[in-house]
Amino acid sequence: LALSATMAAAAAAAASTSTYTSQCESAPPPANEEAQATAKIENDDDEAVDPYDNLPEEDEPTHCSICLTYRQGPCRPYWRKVEACTKDNELKKDDEEKAEEGDNDTDKKSSDSNEEGQEEEEADPPCLKYMLPWIDCASGFRNLYNLIELDTNYTMGVADLEKEASKNLCWAASSTPPLDLSAWVAYRQDNPDWKLPVTEHSESPEHASLWKTLDQSKDPVVVEVKATVELMEGEGVLECAYAQDQDGNLIGFQYGTKPSEAFDTEKKEEGEEGEEEAKKESTVTLKIRILPHRTQTVTIAAAYTQPPSDDQQKESKDLKKDSSFRSFIFKSKPIVLDQVQLPKEVEKEEEGESS
């Protein structure tokens, strides 16, 4: 938790994306060995040995989402040093606090604390020399790490959600969440020679994660589009919204509301001014990342959870069974990217070139 809090701000800055990103300059080369990360770290003492040069290859178990994301990909060597340094300094800080608690001299303790506070304000954070190379690397691979985050944190959860859903339904054309494709249209205008990518069949018997099939030496081109998904579908509350490509790869994810919290809130606001508050936030925005050279289609999906009815709860209670929430998965029809309507001017230019 301490590591997550320390790195959250830096990770957010490193992982932010623009609506349409095209890398004109080459990204930092991937580092395959821990020694390459050391080359970017400036030591005050040239003869000093970096304590994190030879970290164990096997990572410690963790539930830290930032750690799980950056332990993978080209920035792994830099991140592992940040993680190890942060952990060591947290342990050191805990030991110092315990030592201070055993000091009975209150005046001396207060004086020392003030002096240490002034020194901490002036001195750089102890792990700064490791954080800067990591931030530099992550900034050069923003799009790649957005894909890694999607795969690491949400892919398995979505698979379990679809497997356990009570029903899998398809939105009617009139009910499909509106999708803002203006960024995609702009990309097509800037790249008139774009063609729908051909499906690549992998020889691997297992389905590889999308990001693992990409060139790790540069940041992939990504076009970000946005869908607007309703928080309510009938009596169901949105648990999460997500998007998939033609191969089922996750290319977008957004949480909705926890079912238990949503229905508890509804009961509390019943008869009060809850309706006005509900209207203010009736939708969520789902960011979808299109890879022009890999993505053929986009499918929008959403999981809605419906609580058991009063009759179902009564029946379950009589039979001494647990009444549970029911989950429904709604999906749109696949949106084929080369069939997205372009402005008439662009269409005429493309027709002229083809003729």
Side-chain angles (χ1 to χ4, degrees):
L1 292 176
L3 181 58
S4 281
T6 304
M7 308 312 305
S16 61
T17 58
S18 58
T19 302
Y20 161 42
T21 306
S22 177
Q23 294 293 327
C24 298
E25 299 180 359
S26 59
N32 298 321
E33 300 178 359
E34 300 291 344
Q36 289 179 283
T38 310
K40 296 189 69 176
I41 299 173
E42 297 180 0
N43 294 315
D44 295 333
D45 187 354
D46 294 337
E47 297 180 359
V49 177
D50 191 327
Y52 306 113
D53 272 346
N54 298 303
L55 294 171
E57 187 60 32
E58 186 176 351
D59 296 314
E60 295 181 0
T62 183
H63 295 291
C64 166
S65 60
I66 296 175
C67 304
L68 294 172
T69 297
Y70 284 97
R71 282 178 177 181
Q72 305 178 83
C75 299
R76 170 180 166 83
Y78 308 110
W79 169 256
R80 296 186 74 222
K81 293 192 175 189
V82 172
E83 188 176 338
C85 177
T86 304
K87 180 181 177 182
D88 287 348
N89 278 274
E90 287 295 333
L91 294 173
K92 182 180 178 182
K93 184 178 179 181
D94 290 341
D95 292 340
E96 290 175 352
E97 289 178 353
K98 289 179 180 178
E100 287 181 358
E101 289 176 0
D103 190 352
N104 295 324
D105 189 347
T106 307
D107 294 336
K108 182 178 182 300
K109 179 179 176 182
S110 177
S111 176
D112 291 345
S113 177
N114 291 334
E115 291 177 3
E116 288 174 6
Q118 292 176 357
E119 290 177 0
E120 286 179 0
E121 289 179 1
E122 296 175 359
D124 289 333
C127 299
L128 183 63
K129 69 175 183 178
Y130 299 113
M131 290 176 62
L132 293 178
W134 164 67
I135 293 174
D136 185 48
C137 179
S139 297
F141 290 95
R142 292 188 184 95
N143 295 329
L144 180 64
Y145 272 98
N146 276 315
L147 296 174
I148 293 176
E149 180 186 11
L150 284 171
D151 177 57
T152 303
N153 296 333
Y154 308 116
T155 295
M156 293 300 296
V158 167
D160 291 340
L161 198 61
E162 293 187 345
K163 184 179 179 180
E164 298 171 2
S166 303
K167 288 183 180 180
N168 287 278
L169 306 169
C170 183
W171 271 306
S174 58
S175 301
T176 299
L179 179 61
D180 181 2
L181 288 165
S182 56
W184 176 245
V185 171
Y187 175 84
R188 290 288 308 277
Q189 290 174 330
D190 294 340
N191 299 270
D193 296 331
W194 176 87
K195 301 294 182 184
L196 194 70
V198 179
T199 302
E200 298 181 6
H201 298 283
S202 174
E203 296 180 359
S204 174
E206 298 182 1
H207 175 67
S209 301
L210 174 61
W211 70 268
K212 292 181 179 178
T213 65
L214 303 175
D215 183 356
Q216 304 291 300
S217 66
K218 60 182 180 180
D219 204 28
V221 174
V222 166
V223 180
E224 186 181 281
V225 297
K226 298 178 181 179
T228 303
V229 184
E230 295 288 338
L231 281 172
M232 297 291 296
E233 181 71 36
E235 296 182 359
V237 174
L238 179 67
E239 187 171 349
C240 66
Y242 56 97
Q244 296 170 313
D245 67 6
Q246 68 281 354
D247 298 318
N249 294 305
L250 206 62
I251 54 176
F253 184 90
Q254 177 62 48
Y255 278 116
T257 307
K258 289 183 179 180
S260 56
E261 294 180 0
F263 295 114
D264 285 345
T265 302
E266 286 181 2
K267 290 179 181 179
K268 291 178 182 178
E269 293 179 346
E270 194 172 322
E272 300 177 3
E273 298 178 356
E275 292 185 7
E276 293 183 5
E277 292 296 326
K279 288 179 181 179
K280 291 180 182 178
E281 297 182 0
S282 60
T283 62
V284 296
T285 299
L286 171 64
K287 296 180 180 180
I288 303 171
R289 296 170 176 87
I290 296 174
L291 283 75
H293 302 297
R294 295 299 298 272
T295 311
Q296 298 175 339
T297 66
V298 173
T299 300
I300 304 171
Y304 289 92
T305 304
Q306 184 175 338
S309 63
D310 293 338
D311 291 339
Q312 289 174 329
Q313 290 183 6
K314 186 175 183 295
E315 181 182 353
S316 298
K317 186 175 182 180
D318 293 340
L319 296 175
K320 296 182 179 180
K321 292 183 178 180
D322 293 332
S323 59
S324 58
F325 293 94
R326 294 184 298 165
S327 181
F328 301 90
I329 304 291
F330 285 84
K331 287 193 175 184
S332 69
K333 291 183 178 180
I335 301 165
V336 185
L337 292 180
D338 67 348
Q339 295 179 10
V340 174
Q341 188 174 5
L342 300 178
K344 293 182 179 180
E345 294 78 7
V346 179
E347 289 180 347
K348 289 180 180 179
E349 290 180 6
E350 290 188 348
E351 289 175 1
E353 290 176 1
S354 60
S355 62

